[in-house]
Amino acid sequence: MNGFPFSAVVGMEELRLGLVLNAVSPAIGGVLVRGEKGTAKSTMVRALAAILPDVAVVAGCRFSCDPADPDPSCPDGPHEAEAPSVTRAARLVELPVGASEDRLFGALDIERALTEGVKAYEPGLLAAAHRGVLYVDEVNLLHDHLVDLLLDAAALGTSYVERDGVSVRHAARFLLVGTMNPEEGELRPQLLDRFGLTVEAAAPRDAGQRGEVVRRRLAYDADPAGFAAHWQQAESGLAARIVAAQALLPDVVLPDATLRQVASVCAAFDVDGLRADLVTARAAIAHAAWEGRGEVTAVDVRAAARLALPHRRRRQPFDAPQLDEEELDRALAGAGEDPDDPDPGDDGPGGGEPEASREAAQGRDAPEPRSEAVPDPGPDGQPQGPAAEGPARPRPGAAPAGPPAAPGPVFRVKRLEVPGTGAGAAGRRSRARTDSGHVTGAQRPRDRAARIHVPATFVAAAPYQVARGRAPAGGLLLRAGDLREARHEGRESNLVLFVVDASGSMAARARMGAVKGAVLSLLLDAYQRRDKVGMVTFRGSAAELALPPTFSVEAAAARLSALPTGGRTPLAAGLFRAGDLLRAERIRDPRRRPLLVLVTDGRATGGADPVASALRAAGLLAAAGVHSVVVDCESGPVRLGLAAGLAQSLGGVLLRLDELAAAPLAESVRAISGGFRGVAPPGKQEREVA
Ligand SMILES: [Zn+2]
């Protein structure tokens, strides 16, 4: 079996560097690879294990203990000092998107522990990845709870499982690599921050490079063994360089002046906390070792900052991580002008820069002083007027050329939820049976009990104690059939499908701005509640699927801001389009319950009897069990109240635009603008929105 060689991947220099730096110094904390589909990012990550040094392991240990330093808590241990060992290649373990917590951390068999008194533990993927690479493709689609646990384990270098008082702990140190396609939804900022480095992976735009990608792929597919042999020398060279860098790493010196550059770059980019400084320093040290240098220079700091800082900058929730290279050079150069700089010999402009800074500054013009060295961090608690850009303004470049109305202010909205109890993916919207959350009762386990409900188990066992011959002072005699598991109730996420009237009757500029602001507010709310979102718009002669269901609230916000308006109001077409989409989604993702949010003034025009058609379409949606909320946008002195009839046919809830806010509008705007800058911890958000 020959995989595609690491050295044979064309381009992707950032990813290559991010991976080897982590291979040299795993303390950097892993790599998150962002990029569209169809780049070779997975190929490159999968090829990494082949250039990592082999590992010696205790023979027969399922936890890959190092014979020189076995894990004292190893469940297969304790190992003899002279235990036989074997040497094997470093492993790359892939975590599938649908993996359970048991699969990741290993499964403790509580039934056997309680009924047989045996501590039975089946190792999970973290055990398999110890001293190797753990690869999580599409990490943004992994359950938040699992990503949290995974990043904790990666940070601690330990896998810990505890079930009902029985626990297992073992070492799990691995190079964590996650990939994600931002078009499918961002990772929560507080998770993003916990990956050491991020890199952007893009397919080469250059025709020559693209041709080379194809040429190599064809050659590999035709003869994998021959291809591997051709690249063997390059692969061995890389492997040897990693080993040499690992050996040099402990001796690399980080001079004070260079450390100050790290600090001033991190400060200039307005990053949260000190984790950025630490990761940048570690990556700079690894970079120096990789380059075979015994001392960290500005070149190393620059390379490290480009990978360590983009995802740690404070930014708007709908903005992608990025770093301006010129800004980086200015910050690096600026560090040399530190008034505390002990370096003598300041003789003229730039003369005070440490030598290394000058090196980094080569190839650029003298820095132009710009008043906005750091981009506007966003609203600082001041609500802006309805015509001003809201806090959730779209990314630069997403703005349309035409004159669509700018979104009005964004505010905190009421929780709209689907009635009843669902069973969908965890989130923060509607009530649901979940794996966590508060315990609402006990039940017989369907297969293996997940979380034991102890009182219910004892109650179930109690009537049989005499028949089972329990001694007067003896313990409770349990059988597998006595076990009861806890039933939990929490909140699920939903599919929030926006159906937005973009017709002429809505197009009065100020009004459309308010409507866009309201939908943006609902989008931000959906982001915080972990919902999937989609958008159907209708205007002129037809309805359009403006955004297929996605986790990318950013994409939805961009489409909304650029939404053209005008023309007739084919309301029925919009509702039929929504019905088609929900039917397809029910097949694709059956447990996710939809919430349809119809944004309309209730008017319908065009075709024969447009109002009756719309009411009929609404009735069909209601019959299909779709729960709806109608946001009534009618305004002005003469009101027809048409939206009320629609809400009735939909069997849904009717809210006026101004009733959407969780509190009076001014208060809601204030309340949320603080939370926008960052990244309130989930607990805090929960309290805010509860
Ligand atoms: Zn062991």
Side-chain angles (χ1 to χ4, degrees):
M1 254 316 274
N2 293 290
F4 196 88
F6 190 83
S7 337
V9 177
V10 178
M12 311 250 268
E13 295 310 326
E14 273 203 358
L15 176 54
R16 194 185 306 271
L17 184 62
L19 292 174
V20 296
L21 292 184
N22 271 277
V24 170
S25 172
I28 291 170
V31 186
L32 176 67
V33 192
R34 299 163 48 87
E36 61 206 8
K37 279 206 177 71
T39 62
K41 58 182 194 278
S42 293
T43 306
M44 191 156 208
V45 175
R46 292 198 176 100
L48 175 67
I51 56 163
L52 295 180
D54 287 351
V55 286
V57 298
V58 172
C61 171
R62 295 173 299 164
F63 301 87
S64 302
C65 277
D66 182 351
D69 182 21
D71 174 12
S73 63
C74 175
D76 282 356
H79 301 295
E80 307 280 327
E82 298 300 315
S85 70
V86 290
T87 298
R88 59 161 177 76
R91 277 194 201 125
L92 179 115
V93 174
E94 291 199 36
L95 175 64
V97 162
S100 64
E101 203 178 318
D102 274 3
R103 182 89 184 86
L104 186 58
F105 288 86
L108 259 174
D109 195 337
I110 298 295
E111 289 184 25
R112 286 188 65 197
L114 281 179
T115 59
E116 298 170 34
V118 188
K119 194 155 141 180
Y121 177 65
E122 192 58 42
L125 295 172
L126 290 188
H130 180 42
R131 305 173 68 200
V133 181
L134 183 69
Y135 176 36
V136 191
D137 196 10
E138 301 194 284
V139 65
N140 52 330
L141 303 186
L142 205 64
H143 195 304
D144 274 351
H145 173 64
L146 212 56
V147 180
D148 258 335
L149 293 174
L150 174 62
L151 289 167
D152 277 345
L156 296 172
T158 302
S159 164
Y160 179 72
V161 183
E162 204 241 286
R163 285 285 157 79
D164 305 292
V166 184
S167 66
V168 171
R169 179 192 301 276
H170 64 79
R173 288 185 300 276
F174 47 84
L175 196 178
L176 179 64
V177 185
T179 59
M180 59 173 282
N181 177 357
E183 287 166 12
E184 287 166 355
E186 284 290 349
L187 207 58
R188 271 191 295 143
Q190 51 272 63
L191 296 181
L192 205 57
D193 171 59
R194 290 169 61 191
F195 279 90
L197 310 179
T198 49
V199 299
E200 298 285 335
R205 300 284 175 236
D206 173 70
Q209 276 202 330
R210 294 175 79 99
E212 190 56 28
V213 171
V214 174
R215 201 178 354 264
R216 289 186 190 176
R217 192 77 223 180
L218 292 176
Y220 171 76
D221 289 344
D223 176 15
F227 191 79
H230 179 76
W231 286 92
Q232 185 49 49
Q233 206 181 342
E235 293 283 278
S236 313
L238 265 182
R241 193 171 162 191
I242 289 174
V243 172
Q246 283 176 337
L248 178 58
L249 188 74
D251 300 324
V252 174
V253 176
L254 176 63
D256 280 352
T258 318
L259 179 57
R260 260 201 310 282
Q261 282 188 317
V262 170
S264 75
V265 166
C266 291
F269 281 102
D270 192 21
V271 293
D272 282 315
L274 282 170
R275 198 202 302 266
D277 302 57
L278 199 58
V279 174
T280 307
R282 283 185 177 139
I285 293 169
H287 189 264
W290 175 245
E291 295 292 339
R293 276 195 295 271
E295 188 175 305
V296 181
T297 67
V299 175
D300 303 312
V301 176
R302 188 180 198 283
R306 288 184 64 224
L307 303 174
L309 298 189
H311 58 301
R312 293 196 163 84
R313 304 189 64 179
R314 291 170 192 260
R315 60 187 184 278
Q316 307 293 342
F318 299 145
D319 288 352
Q322 55 189 332
L323 201 70
D324 182 336
E325 305 257 341
E326 287 180 25
E327 216 176 315
L328 176 58
D329 286 333
R330 272 196 301 279
L332 274 168
E337 290 149 22
D338 191 322
D340 297 328
D341 194 337
D343 284 355
D346 190 356
D347 49 5
E353 286 180 5
E355 195 180 328
S357 291
R358 266 203 300 277
E359 195 181 336
Q362 274 169 7
R364 68 175 167 81
D365 298 321
E368 297 160 37
R370 281 211 318 214
S371 54
E372 311 166 293
V374 177
D376 173 18
D380 285 315
Q382 272 132 313
Q384 291 155 323
E389 280 184 316
R393 60 173 178 249
R395 271 175 279 182
V410 172
F411 50 88
R412 187 150 54 87
V413 297
K414 284 180 184 150
R415 168 153 63 198
L416 309 175
E417 61 183 295
V418 182
T421 306
R428 301 204 178 115
R429 190 171 294 280
S430 310
R431 288 157 61 102
R433 294 217 195 296
T434 51
D435 293 338
S436 51
H438 65 270
V439 176
T440 57
Q443 64 194 11
R444 282 177 185 277
R446 267 157 301 196
D447 41 42
R448 211 161 48 82
R451 294 272 189 276
I452 303 291
H453 192 288
V454 176
T457 300
F458 284 7
V459 168
Y464 307 106
Q465 295 304 301
V466 174
R468 288 175 190 169
R470 173 178 174 242
L476 197 68
L477 295 175
L478 286 175
R479 299 281 182 272
D482 301 331
L483 294 177
R484 296 293 181 272
E485 68 180 6
R487 195 164 55 219
H488 297 271
E489 194 176 292
R491 297 235 170 230
E492 64 177 359
S493 57
N494 297 103
L495 165 62
V496 182
L497 178 62
F498 294 93
V499 181
V500 180
D501 181 351
S503 70
S505 70
M506 298 278 290
R509 254 189 107 69
R511 184 137 153 264
M512 200 61 209
V515 169
K516 284 184 176 181
V519 178
L520 270 178
S521 307
L522 288 162
L523 277 172
L524 181 71
D525 181 62
Y527 168 80
Q528 288 168 337
R529 298 185 190 283
R530 319 304 302 149
D531 294 315
K532 212 169 177 178
V533 295
M535 198 185 321
V536 169
T537 60
F538 55 93
R539 64 184 277 268
S541 59
E544 185 198 351
L545 177 56
L547 183 77
T550 171
F551 286 102
S552 175
V553 171
E554 297 84 349
R559 298 288 161 90
L560 180 76
S561 297
L563 185 67
T565 48
R568 284 208 261 213
T569 315
L571 175 56
L575 293 174
F576 281 125
R577 188 76 190 81
D580 291 345
L581 181 106
L582 292 178
R583 259 191 304 284
E585 273 304 299
R586 187 169 295 165
I587 295 164
R588 196 170 299 150
D589 193 357
R591 292 200 308 160
R592 182 175 297 277
R593 298 188 299 157
L595 176 67
L596 188 148
V597 178
L598 174 61
V599 182
T600 175
D601 57 8
R603 266 172 257 251
T605 56
D609 210 347
V611 174
S613 310
L615 292 178
R616 194 160 48 84
L620 288 172
L621 281 166
V626 175
H627 182 71
S628 306
V629 174
V630 177
V631 179
D632 183 2
C633 303
E634 187 171 40
S635 62
V638 184
R639 300 197 185 195
L640 303 173
L642 295 167
L646 262 176
Q648 200 175 16
S649 294
L650 282 164
V653 174
L654 178 70
L655 283 175
R656 282 194 324 270
L657 200 55
D658 57 356
E659 290 173 325
L660 212 50
L665 191 60
E667 215 173 288
S668 300
V669 173
R670 249 199 317 280
I672 203 163
S673 54
F676 256 111
R677 276 193 61 156
V679 279
K684 182 156 169 266
Q685 283 180 357
E686 190 67 285
R687 245 177 291 120
E688 279 171 6
V689 297

